[in-house]
Amino acid sequence: MPVEITWWGHATCTVADSDTRVLTDPLFAQRLAHLRRRRGALPPPAAWHADVALVSHLHADHLHVPSLERLAEGTHLLVPRGARQAVPGLRRLTHLRVTEVTPGDRVTVGDVVIRAVPARHDGRRLPVGRHRSPALGYVVEGEARTYFAGDTGLFDDMAKEVGRVDVALLPVGGWGPYLGEGHLDAGRAAQALARLAPRSAVPVHYGTYWPIGMDAVRPHEFHAPGDEFVRLAAERAPEVAVHRLGHGESVRLEVAR
């Protein structure tokens, strides 16, 4: 059975595996504070449907309470440990089944197991967050093993912590002209790909949101990361099939066992 990956923009993807729909970092907003969506239509209501939604960390472009409010009643929501204390808005999402997780935790949803893994990224709720929650990645284990990295920098034990995977959803950019510490750009994402050695990869977290009024500031940082990742991945991990999707596009991947 194939796994199907749909990229809705930024870090929001649907992973369909074993008749289970997994939604990553749901963000369904045209505008978020100083950011606006510059490319790609907003995900349609069909994108809101999932059996489980994963939140990688507490930054507002990854944990967006108004987007989570759109999820159907009974949807399972996995968030980093401490999220409900740090983000009071989560407490009003009484229609969702919220579970806090930390690296090493495993949660079964339908016929898939979701494993929380470490990430190297600031886990606070910015700009004033005091309560620290771990930034996470997740591995969805069904017919395939799909790694959603969330936001992360490179770290020495990445391949060991993530384990063997078939598909990697890797961030390759951001939402502004400069990437801070704890992020992957196209080059570092290609290094991560070489370490992880999946069969397939999809670049995410680029080319969607940009600060209002800054369209002309380093525009290549908005447009270029996807193509740059494809180019560098071919050099550093030539055995990996890279699928650069447009907003709303899907790819079906056969997984050999």
Side-chain angles (χ1 to χ4, degrees):
M1 178 184 295
V3 59
E4 183 174 271
I5 310 294
T6 304
W7 182 50
W8 301 111
H10 203 52
T12 306
C13 300
T14 295
V15 179
D17 189 333
S18 304
D19 294 321
T20 303
R21 289 174 61 87
V22 181
L23 183 65
T24 67
D25 285 351
L27 183 56
F28 306 136
Q30 187 66 44
R31 178 172 173 176
L32 174 64
H34 64 299
L35 306 178
R36 67 178 175 90
R37 192 176 180 107
R38 283 188 59 198
R39 183 187 288 171
L42 284 176
W48 310 348
H49 170 68
D51 298 291
V52 59
L54 313 179
V55 169
S56 62
H57 62 289
L58 306 192
H59 295 173
D61 58 320
H62 294 259
L63 195 169
H64 186 242
V65 173
S67 294
L68 296 176
E69 288 177 333
R70 297 182 181 181
L71 301 181
E73 184 170 357
T75 303
H76 205 152
L77 176 65
L78 305 189
V79 299
R81 182 195 59 220
R84 281 177 289 196
Q85 182 181 13
V87 186
L90 282 173
R91 301 171 199 166
R92 69 172 183 260
L93 302 181
T94 56
H95 66 300
L96 304 179
R97 296 173 53 206
V98 181
T99 300
E100 295 190 353
V101 294
T102 195
D105 288 348
R106 301 169 71 92
V107 178
T108 299
V109 179
D111 290 327
V112 304
V113 174
I114 298 168
R115 178 167 54 90
V117 299
R120 293 297 180 269
H121 191 70
D122 188 340
R124 293 174 298 168
R125 182 67 164 184
L126 299 175
V128 295
R130 294 183 302 167
H131 305 291
R132 298 194 67 86
S133 293
L136 302 173
Y138 294 93
V139 178
V140 179
E141 300 176 347
E143 291 292 324
R145 290 175 295 267
T146 301
Y147 170 48
F148 168 62
D151 259 356
T152 188
L154 278 172
F155 55 99
D156 290 342
D157 291 335
M158 176 180 274
K160 179 180 177 181
E161 295 284 1
V162 172
R164 188 164 65 91
V165 292
D166 302 296
V167 185
L169 311 180
L170 293 178
V172 300
W175 51 254
Y178 301 99
L179 283 175
E181 184 179 356
H183 292 85
L184 298 178
D185 60 10
R188 291 191 291 272
Q191 292 179 52
L193 195 66
R195 296 182 186 186
L196 295 167
R199 292 186 174 92
S200 303
V202 176
V204 302
H205 203 268
Y206 76 100
T208 307
Y209 291 91
W210 204 248
I212 294 169
M214 297 186 68
D215 292 11
V217 178
R218 297 176 64 86
H220 62 285
E221 298 291 354
F222 178 82
H223 294 285
D227 288 336
E228 184 71 357
F229 174 71
V230 171
R231 183 182 70 82
L232 293 173
E235 295 177 0
R236 299 174 184 174
E239 71 286 356
V240 181
V242 177
H243 304 271
R244 189 181 70 78
L245 302 178
H247 293 78
E249 289 187 346
S250 302
V251 60
R252 290 171 65 86
L253 302 170
E254 296 288 342
V255 179
R257 287 298 188 199

